[in-house]
Amino acid sequence: MSPAEVFTEYRPLLFTIAYEILGSAADAEDALQDSYLRWSEADPACIDNPRAYLAQVVTRQALNQLRSAGRRREDYVGSWLPEPIRTGPDASEDALLAESVSMAMLLVLETLSPDERAVFVLREVFGFSHREVAEAVGKSEAAVRQTSHRARSHVLSRRRRFEPSSAAAQELAGQFLSAAVTGDIQALMDLMAPDVVEISDGGGKVNAARRPVVGRERVARFMAGLARTGPADLRFEVGLFNSLPSVLIYSGEHLDTVAMFEVTDALVSGIYLVRNPDKLTGVAQSRPLTR
């Protein structure tokens, strides 16, 4: 195959790696563009394993971007959420892949250093060997083993139990939305876990809660208040984003919010409202993901 055909074959894998390291679809696409340029200039005769080589190239590009993004996020207004991506049912069929792109997991990965994040993603999600990961991040194999152990322990201590999206979870999200629109506080509370957390991301460009809202009564009143004070011409469209049951909320023809619902034991345990318009421009595009 030509270099372009090889890159196209591995593109879903490379996008998934870049997105999990960066938490941004737009930045992941930039990393892939830079990676393709370097791939097209490489000597095929010197590449024994195109998958590992391309993963190495895209990891290095993503790490460069992540270090720059870290400085920008220090000045971010309010809570920061990853850019939502529309995922197909195939992603949910792979439990590890579905969890790795979930909002909860991506937020845990945000607490790692750039090198820890890249090592965890390459090793724990995609199964690259310690030697391959070491080549990708430019460290010794011994250092990567230590980093991998540290990152895995950190993630395991903070990860929440994940349940892939299902028809029942999507139905629960619809019931939640109906209760919010009607302002039924008790119905909302009955649908949520006691320790439910709501996180809004407006990026300082639209109104959004600056801090997480915790607890079902507070979250119920917050969500009902949003529905009560929202525009009169709201319309809704169900979808699957980051392998979570989701609702796109429109004001007329304008996409206002992507709401993602984390469901645990048949109760809503996490709500993620992405309102920053910069993060909503690519939601129409379905993203093929793979390990």
Side-chain angles (χ1 to χ4, degrees):
M1 293 189 291
S2 69
E5 290 172 329
V6 173
F7 192 88
T8 298
E9 178 184 353
Y10 288 110
R11 197 180 196 287
L13 169 70
L14 301 178
F15 175 84
T16 310
I17 291 173
Y19 177 72
E20 292 192 16
I21 292 176
L22 290 163
S24 165
D27 289 347
E29 291 289 358
D30 289 342
L32 260 64
Q33 282 192 340
D34 292 339
S35 299
Y36 178 74
L37 292 176
R38 284 158 177 74
W39 166 251
S40 63
E41 295 168 355
D43 182 0
C46 300
I47 301 172
D48 296 329
N49 187 336
R51 180 179 183 269
Y53 181 86
L54 282 167
Q56 172 185 315
V57 173
V58 80
T59 296
R60 291 181 176 178
Q61 299 306 311
L63 278 173
N64 290 338
Q65 291 201 36
L66 184 61
R67 293 185 178 107
S68 298
R71 292 189 289 271
R72 294 196 305 271
R73 287 175 195 172
E74 290 177 1
D75 300 324
Y76 199 80
V77 178
S79 299
W80 181 92
L81 286 173
E83 180 182 347
I85 56 171
R86 187 186 293 267
T87 50
D90 54 328
S92 297
E93 292 172 3
D94 182 333
L96 178 57
L97 178 61
E99 182 187 23
S100 71
V101 298
S102 69
M103 285 284 133
M105 176 58 78
L106 291 173
L107 288 175
V108 171
L109 294 182
E110 280 292 307
T111 65
L112 299 175
S113 71
D115 284 343
E116 287 173 339
R117 183 167 183 165
V119 168
F120 179 86
V121 166
L122 292 176
R123 178 69 185 150
E124 301 299 325
V125 179
F126 296 95
F128 286 99
S129 68
H130 288 107
R131 178 183 60 79
E132 291 169 329
V133 177
E135 291 174 351
V137 299
K139 293 186 177 295
S140 70
E141 190 171 335
V144 161
R145 288 182 183 275
Q146 290 182 339
T147 301
S148 178
H149 176 74
R150 186 169 61 248
R152 183 170 60 251
S153 298
H154 181 96
V155 171
L156 287 175
S157 68
R158 288 164 175 79
R159 79 199 303 175
R160 297 171 62 164
R161 193 171 127 216
F162 176 77
E163 295 182 12
S165 179
S166 63
Q170 188 70 64
E171 182 179 354
L172 182 65
Q175 293 172 353
F176 186 94
L177 184 64
S178 296
V181 170
T182 59
D184 191 333
I185 300 296
Q186 187 58 53
L188 283 169
M189 292 176 61
D190 291 343
L191 295 171
M192 290 187 287
D195 59 348
V196 62
V197 177
E198 183 281 334
I199 303 176
S200 303
D201 180 346
K205 300 187 176 184
V206 296
N207 289 331
R210 296 290 181 91
R211 293 186 177 89
V213 181
V214 182
R216 56 185 167 195
E217 182 173 357
R218 291 185 64 200
V219 173
R221 295 191 181 283
F222 175 78
M223 296 298 294
L226 285 182
R228 184 176 63 253
T229 59
D233 58 346
L234 288 180
R235 66 181 180 87
F236 308 97
E237 175 187 319
V238 298
L240 189 65
F241 283 80
N242 293 80
S243 296
L244 297 176
S246 306
V247 177
L248 288 81
I249 304 173
Y250 290 86
S251 174
E253 296 303 314
H254 168 70
L255 177 59
D256 181 87
T257 304
V258 173
M260 291 161 281
F261 297 88
E262 193 173 76
V263 176
T264 307
D265 294 330
L267 293 171
V268 174
S269 55
I271 304 168
Y272 307 96
L273 305 180
V274 178
R275 303 198 64 222
N276 184 340
D278 295 341
K279 297 184 179 182
L280 301 179
T281 57
V283 299
Q285 182 177 352
S286 183
R287 304 284 185 175
L289 306 175
T290 185
R291 289 193 297 128

